Amino acid sequence: MRMKYVFCILMSLLSGISAAQSRLDYFMTEAAKKRMLGQWSAAHDLYSHCLEIDSCSAEALFHLGRMSFYIREDSIGLEYLYRAVELDSMNPYYVEPLASILIRQSREEEALPLLERLSRLQSGRSDVLYHIAGMYDRFGRTEDAVATLDRLEMLEGKMQQLVGKKFALYMQMGDSAKAFRELQSLCDEYPADMSFRIDMGYRYQQIGDFDRALQIYDEVRKTDPSNVALQMAMLDYYAVQGMDSLYVAVRDSILYAPGTDTEKRAVLMQQMIQRASADSAEIDGVTARFERILQLDSMSVDMLAMYAAYLNYRRQPQARICDVMSRILHVEPDNDMATRWLLSYYAGTRNWASLEEICRRGVNYHPEELAYSYFLAMILSERGDLREALEVMEKGLRLRSEETRIALISDAFLVKGDVYYKQGKWQKAFEEYDSALVYNKDNVLCLNNYAYYLSLRNENLDKAEEMSYRTIKAEPDNKTYLDTYAWILFMQGKYAEARKYMDRIVSEDSAEEFLLTDE
C-alpha cells in the first residue's frame, strides 16, 4: 500500500510539471509571435508571465534582456542576460550577445571570460579567437595571445597576417629568436613567394642586423633578380646605410623600368620631393624625372596630378601648371579637378577663348556645377549671343547641386537680369534682380545695376537711391558705384549732393586730357 501511495504522489507531481511546462511553452510561443510582429509591449508582458510560471526560464530571461536594451533600460537588460547565461551557460546564443554588449560598453575584462567560453563552445569561430587574441595583447597577457594565434593558425593555416602578429608579440616579449623563426616558417611554407623572404630581410634591417638583411636580399636576387619589391627593399637599405650613389641608381632604375606601376613610381617621387625639400640641389632633378616618367607613361593621371601639385608647391609659373592640367584633360576629359583649376586660371588671365572652351567642357561633363554655366553665360552675353546665354544660365540654375554657394546662385540670377535688360525686357530683368537679392541681399553689383536701370527709366527713384547708397557704403572708393549714386541724385533733383559725389570721382580742376582717358 505504501509503494502505491508513493507512486501516486510521483505521478501527481509529474502531471503538474507537465501541465506547467505546457503552459510555459504556450505563452513562450505567443510571446515570440508578438515579438516578431514588433508588438514589444505585448511580448514583454507575455515573457514576464512566463517568468511567473517558471522563474528559471533562461529563454524568457534572455528575450526580456534583449528587449530591455531596445527601450534603453540597459542595467535591467544586463541583469536579465546575466541570469540567462548563468542558467544556461552552455548556450552560445546567450553568451555571445552578452559579451558583445559588454564590449560595446568598454567592459572588456568582463567580456573576456564569456568570449573564452564561446570559443570552447564554438571552436571553429575564427572571429571570436581574433577578439580574444587582441584582448590578451591589450591586457598584457602576451603568452596567451600567442597561444590563441596558434589556435587560429590551426584553423586557417599559416598566413602572413597571423605570422606578423606573432612576430610582433615575440619581439614584445624580447624573444627575437622565436620571432624570426615564425617568419622563417612562413618562408618555408611558401618557398616560391619571395615577398616573405624580402619582408624578413627588411625586419632584420629594422633591428640593425644589416649583414643578415643583405644576405637574404642576395639570396632573393639569385632567384628573382628583377623583383621590384626587392629593389624597393634595397633602396631603403642604401638610404639607411647612406650609400647615396647606389640609392640614386636603384631609384632611377625602378622609376624608368617599363614594368613599374604608377603607385610605386608615386611613392618614389614623393620620397624624392621630401629629399628635395631638405636639399635644394635635388629640385631640378625632380622636375626632370617627372618629365621623363611622363614620356614613358603619358596616360597616368595620378602622376600628372602629382606633378602639377609639385609645380604649385615650388611656386612655378602658372602657365606650366596649366600645361599639365591640359594634359590631364587630354587623358581624362571629365577630370573635375583639372577642369576647375583651368576655369580659375583662364578667368584670372582673361583668356576668354580658352575660358569659353573649358566652360563648355564643364557644362557638358559637370552640369551640376553652376560656375561653368555662369562664366559661359557671361562670355556669351558680352559677345551678344543673348539667346544662348539665357538658355545656358537657365539650365545651369535648374541642374545646380544642393551644395552650390548661395552667392553664386545670386550672381547667376544677376546675369539673367543683365541679359533680359540687353534684350529690352525691363520687367523680366527687374524680376531676376529681385531673385538675385533674395539669395544675397548684399550683392553689390546687382544693387548697382538694378538701381542704375531703374534711374534710366526714371522709375522708383527712392528705391534706386536706397540700393545705390548700399553699394557705396560697401565699397566707398568704387568709382562706378559713386557715379551711379551721383546720377540718381541728379535725377532726383538733388544737384548739390550729386556734385559732392561726382567730386569724389574727379576733382573740378582735373585736366581735360585726364577726363577723356579715365575709364
Side-chain angles (χ1 to χ4, degrees), residues 248-367:
V248 171
V250 172
R251 181 193 64 197
D252 288 353
S253 70
I254 300 173
L255 279 174
Y256 305 141
T260 303
D261 59 48
T262 300
E263 185 178 351
K264 283 190 173 63
R265 284 192 174 119
V267 169
L268 291 175
M269 289 308 300
Q270 188 62 47
Q271 291 175 356
M272 190 172 184
I273 290 170
Q274 291 173 352
R275 288 167 68 97
S277 64
D279 183 0
S280 58
E282 293 267 2
I283 292 173
D284 293 336
V286 174
T287 304
R289 282 168 175 79
F290 265 122
E291 289 292 351
R292 184 169 172 185
I293 290 169
L294 290 169
Q295 287 176 4
L296 296 168
D297 186 8
S298 60
M299 305 297 286
S300 173
V301 171
D302 290 341
M303 192 59 66
L304 285 164
M306 180 182 278
Y307 187 23
Y310 173 71
L311 292 173
N312 185 61
Y313 168 72
R314 297 303 310 173
R315 300 186 185 278
Q316 294 298 299
Q318 295 286 289
R320 290 187 67 182
I321 303 174
C322 174
D323 175 64
V324 178
M325 292 296 185
S326 298
R327 290 159 71 180
I328 289 176
L329 289 186
H330 179 73
V331 176
E332 194 175 276
D334 62 341
N335 187 283
D336 186 43
M337 179 273 295
T339 310
R340 285 172 182 266
W341 192 93
L342 288 170
L343 170 73
S344 176
Y345 174 73
Y346 290 136
T349 57
R350 297 176 178 269
N351 185 338
W352 306 125
S354 296
L355 181 60
E356 179 178 351
E357 180 185 347
I358 206 69
C359 284
R360 289 191 183 279
R361 181 190 293 267
V363 166
N364 183 37
Y365 287 110
H366 310 286

Side-chain angles (χ1 to χ4, degrees), residues 28 31-32 35-36 40 43-44 47-48 51 57-70 77 80-81 84 93-94:
M28 198 72 77
R35 176 170 53 83
M36 287 186 283
W40 300 103
H44 188 278
Y47 281 125
S48 297
L51 282 184
S57 172
E59 185 179 355
L61 287 163
F62 174 75
H63 289 299
L64 283 170
R66 294 297 295 271
M67 285 191 288
S68 295
F69 277 95
Y70 284 124
Y80 279 132
L81 290 179
Y93 303 106
Y94 296 170

Side-chain angles (χ1 to χ4, degrees), residues 57-107:
S57 172
E59 185 179 355
L61 287 163
F62 174 75
H63 289 299
L64 283 170
R66 294 297 295 271
M67 285 191 288
S68 295
F69 277 95
Y70 284 124
I71 59 175
R72 305 290 178 88
E73 293 182 350
D74 293 7
S75 58
I76 296 174
L78 267 179
E79 184 180 341
Y80 279 132
L81 290 179
Y82 264 120
R83 285 177 61 196
V85 170
E86 285 173 9
L87 290 166
D88 193 354
S89 61
M90 302 303 287
N91 190 329
Y93 303 106
Y94 296 170
V95 173
E96 185 169 4
L98 177 55
S100 298
I101 290 167
L102 291 170
I103 290 171
R104 285 201 301 273
Q105 294 181 347
S106 300
R107 297 163 68 175

Side-chain angles (χ1 to χ4, degrees), residues 1-14:
M1 289 293 294
R2 185 174 180 183
M3 289 296 296
K4 184 177 180 181
Y5 177 70
V6 171
F7 178 75
C8 289
I9 292 174
L10 284 173
M11 289 300 294
S12 176
L13 287 171
L14 289 172

